[in-house]
C-alpha cells in the first residue's frame, strides 16, 4: 500500500463482509444438507396448508429437525405471521 | 493399487483443468505412472491445456462403448515420461457416461497406473458426479471469492454423501483444499478472502495456494502445463502442492506481498 492510498478514504473492508455472508449461508446450507431428504417437501406441504388460511410469504416458515440425544428427534416449526394477518 | 484423485470445484472457471494438468504432470515428474481423465463430456479442454489436441483419435466414450481399446485411446505425453491423457468425448449425449462404463474403464486403468486424475466438469450434473463417484481423494479447487467458496462447500457435501465410499460405508474421501488465483496484495488491502478465511469456512486441510499469475495464461496459450514453467510462481506453487499430496511437509509460499523498496512504498506501483 502506498502513502497515497493511506490518505485516501478508508473504504469498508469487503473481504470481511464476504466472510460473514459466507459463514451464514454455508452454515444454513449444511444444516439443510444433513437433514432428511423429505424435509424440503414437508416444508412446502406445511406452507401450503397454512396458506389455505393465512397468506404468508415462503421465507416466513422454517422447518428443522434436530437430533437431541440418541433417542429423540425434535421437529421444529417456526412460522412468522405478518402483523395485519393475526 | 492405483489412487483415484478427483479435481473438482462446483463452480466453473476456477482452474480445475489447469490444476488437473499440473497435478498429473507433477505426479508423473515425481516418478509415478499417471493418467489424467477428462470427464467434461461435450466440452473437451484438457487436450488443449496439455497441448495434445491434434493427437486425439479416440475418446473416453469410445472406450466405454467398446469402439476402441485403452491402448488406442490413451495419448502419451511427449514432454513427461509416465504421463498419459484420456480425452473426453465431444458428443452432445449427456448420458454417454454410465456408472458401469466409467467403473470398467477406471478398473482397467487401475491395473496400469499409480494415479488416476479425474478432471471434473463444472456443476453438479451427472458428469461431475461420475468424476467424483469412484474417488479416493479429492482436490477441491477454490478461488477466494464468495460464489466459488459456497460451491466448494456444496461439492464437499456431495463427496461425503454421493460417492462410492459413502454409499459403501468405507472410509471417507480424503479432501484437500487447493486455493487458486490468490492475490496477496488484495488480501492485504482487505479486498479478498484470505487463506485463513477460506480454510475456516470450508474446514478442510489445505494442500496448496496458487498465486494469481501471468504464467498460467502463458502456459495454456502454449499448451504446456504451468508446472513445467519452473521459474514461475504458479509453477513452483504447484510443485509444492504435489509434494504435499505425496505426504511431504512443505512450507507455504507466495502468501504475502513481496516487500517493496522504500521509494515504491512511498509512491506506490
Amino acid at each position: 500500500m502506498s502513502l497515497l492510498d493511506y490518505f485516501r478514504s478508508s473504504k469498508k473492508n469487503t473481504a470481511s463482509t464476504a466472510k460473514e455472508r459466507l459463514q451464514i449461508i454455508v452454515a444454513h446450507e449444511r444444516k439443510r444438507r444433513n437433514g432428511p431428504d423429505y424435509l424440503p417437501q414437508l416444508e412446502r406441504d406445511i406452507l401450503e396448508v397454512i396458506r389455505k388460511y393465512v397468506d404468508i410469504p415462503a421465507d416466513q416458515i422454517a422447518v428443522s429437525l434436530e437430533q437431541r440425544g440418541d433417542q429423540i428427534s425434535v421437529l421444529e416449526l417456526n412460522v412468522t405471521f405478518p402483523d395485519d394477518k393475526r | 493399487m492405483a489412487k483415484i484423485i478427483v479435481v473438482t470445484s462446483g463452480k466453473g472457471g476456477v482452474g480445475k483443468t489447469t490444476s488437473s494438468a499440473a497435478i498429473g504432470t507433477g505426479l508423473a515428474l515425481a516418478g509415478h505412472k499417471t493418467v489424467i481423465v477428462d470427464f467434461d463430456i461435450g466440452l473437451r479442454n484438457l487436450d488443449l491445456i496439455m497441448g495434445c489436441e491434434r493427437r486425439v483419435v479416440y475418446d473416453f466414450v469410445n472406450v466405454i462403448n467398446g469402439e476402441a481399446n485403452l491402448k488406442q485411446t490413451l495419448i502419451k505425453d511427449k514432454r513427461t515420461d509416465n504421463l498419459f491423457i484420456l480425452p473426453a468425448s465431444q458428443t452432445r449425449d449427456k448420458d454417454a457416461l454410465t456408472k458401469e462404463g466409467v467403473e470398467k474403464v477406471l478398473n482397467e486403468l487401475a491395473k496400469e497406473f499409480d494415479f488416476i486424475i479425474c478432471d471434473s466438469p463444472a456443476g453438479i450434473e451427472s458428469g461431475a458426479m461420475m468424476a467424483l463417484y469412484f474417488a479416493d481423494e479429492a482436490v477441491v479447487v477454490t478461488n477466494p471469492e464468495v460464489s466459488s467458496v459456497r460451491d466448494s462447500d456444496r461439492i464437499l457435501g456431495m463427496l461425503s454423501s454421493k460417492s462410492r465410499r459413502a454409499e459403501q460405508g468405507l472410509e471417507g474421501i480424503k479432501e484437500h483444499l487447493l486455493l487458486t488465483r490468490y492475490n496477496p496484495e488484495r488480501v492485504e488491502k482487505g479486498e479478498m478472502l484470505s487463506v485463513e478465511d477460506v480454510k475456516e469456512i470450508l474446514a478442510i486441510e489445505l494442500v496448496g495456494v496458487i498465486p494469481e499469475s501471468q504464467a498460467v495464461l502463458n502456459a495454456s496459450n502454449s499448451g504446456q502445463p504451468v508446472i513445467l514453467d519452473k521459474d514461475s510462481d504458479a509453477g513452483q506453487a504447484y510443485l509444492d502442492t504435489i509434494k504435499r499430496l505425496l505426504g511431504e511437509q512443505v512450507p507455504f509460499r507466495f502468501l504475502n506481498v513481496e516487500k517493496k523498496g522504500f521509494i515504491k512504498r512511498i509512491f506506490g506501483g
Side-chain angles (χ1 to χ4, degrees):
Chain A
M1 203 196 285
S2 76
L3 205 57
L4 274 176
D5 289 333
Y6 188 78
F7 287 117
R8 259 178 234 150
S9 68
S10 55
K11 259 184 292 173
K12 177 139 177 54
N13 184 331
T14 56
S16 57
T17 313
K19 187 181 178 186
E20 280 164 33
R21 291 174 59 216
L22 271 170
Q23 278 171 327
I24 293 166
I25 190 68
V26 163
H28 178 78
E29 286 175 347
R30 273 184 200 158
K31 206 169 161 190
R32 173 154 293 209
R33 190 192 298 156
N34 295 332
D37 293 339
Y38 61 74
L39 213 55
Q41 185 59 49
L42 177 68
E43 191 173 313
R44 277 192 291 273
D45 287 352
I46 292 174
L47 182 69
E48 280 315 303
V49 173
I50 295 175
R51 269 195 179 155
K52 271 198 203 165
Y53 305 93
V54 193
D55 184 30
I56 53 165
D59 60 350
Q60 291 307 309
I61 179 165
V63 177
S64 70
L65 196 62
E66 235 175 87
Q67 190 80 32
R68 291 197 187 150
D70 290 341
Q71 305 285 316
I72 313 165
S73 298
V74 177
L75 182 72
E76 196 179 273
L77 177 66
N78 251 309
V79 187
T80 313
F81 279 21
D83 273 344
D84 52 328
K85 299 278 163 50
R86 245 179 298 184
Chain B
M1 185 65 183
K3 201 172 259 180
I4 303 177
I5 304 178
V6 61
V7 178
T8 184
S9 70
K11 190 174 181 299
V14 296
K16 280 184 296 299
T17 302
T18 297
S19 296
S20 297
I23 290 169
T25 305
L27 289 170
L29 285 173
H32 304 282
K33 200 171 177 197
T34 304
V35 58
I36 317 175
V37 183
D38 190 349
F39 274 78
D40 204 345
I41 305 302
L43 293 168
R44 171 164 78 210
N45 273 322
L46 178 69
D47 56 338
L48 268 181
I49 301 299
M50 293 297 297
C52 62
E53 68 276 12
R54 293 178 59 185
R55 295 165 63 209
V56 176
V57 182
Y58 295 111
D59 59 55
F60 197 0
V61 172
N62 291 139
V63 180
I64 287 177
N65 294 341
E67 294 150 5
N69 62 36
L70 269 177
K71 208 176 165 195
Q72 296 169 297
T73 311
L74 286 175
I75 302 172
K76 188 179 184 321
D77 191 86
K78 283 192 169 160
R79 291 158 303 229
T80 314
D81 284 341
N82 303 318
L83 182 60
F84 290 79
I85 290 104
L86 181 56
S89 164
Q90 286 290 48
T91 176
R92 288 169 63 185
D93 176 12
K94 272 192 161 187
D95 304 317
L97 292 185
T98 59
K99 210 176 255 181
E100 295 71 30
V102 172
E103 183 170 29
K104 193 187 78 182
V105 175
L106 291 181
N107 281 342
E108 211 172 316
L109 289 171
K111 290 181 204 153
E112 288 276 320
F113 291 92
D114 303 323
F115 284 100
I116 302 171
I117 309 299
C118 302
D119 181 19
S120 172
I124 50 173
E125 299 291 316
S126 79
M129 290 297 124
M130 289 295 165
L132 68 78
Y133 186 77
F134 296 97
D136 300 306
E137 298 191 19
V139 172
V140 180
V141 184
T142 308
N143 289 166
E145 178 270 329
V146 284
S147 51
S148 174
V149 175
R150 180 201 209 169
D151 291 358
S152 290
D153 190 68
R154 193 85 204 278
I155 282 292
L156 287 171
M158 307 271 175
L159 288 169
S160 59
S161 64
K162 302 273 190 276
S163 64
R164 181 183 65 96
R165 282 175 170 271
E167 282 181 5
Q168 297 181 357
L170 303 169
E171 193 187 334
I173 294 176
K174 197 169 169 194
E175 301 155 340
H176 308 275
L177 171 63
L178 179 62
L179 203 56
T180 55
R181 309 193 75 162
Y182 195 66
N183 187 333
E185 244 166 68
R186 302 202 70 183
V187 172
E188 199 166 273
K189 285 184 192 163
E191 296 174 351
M192 183 181 269
L193 290 164
S194 71
V195 180
E196 297 307 321
D197 292 340
V198 181
K199 259 172 72 180
E200 191 184 324
I201 293 162
L202 294 179
I204 57 171
E205 166 256 347
L206 183 69
V207 75
V209 180
I210 313 300
E212 169 104 76
S213 166
Q214 300 187 347
V216 173
L217 184 58
N218 282 330
S220 79
N221 283 342
S222 46
Q224 180 148 311
V226 69
I227 198 168
L228 293 176
D229 185 356
K230 292 188 174 102
D231 296 327
S232 70
D233 47 0
Q236 291 174 23
Y238 273 118
L239 284 168
D240 288 355
T241 302
I242 297 301
K243 289 182 187 163
R244 290 189 202 100
L245 263 182
L246 292 170
E248 244 183 271
Q249 297 270 354
V250 186
F252 285 91
R253 294 191 277 171
F254 314 110
L255 299 189
N256 298 306
V257 182
E258 274 175 64
K259 290 283 170 280
K260 290 175 185 165
F262 176 72
I263 303 289
K264 269 193 173 173
R265 253 191 288 165
I266 297 294
F267 296 103

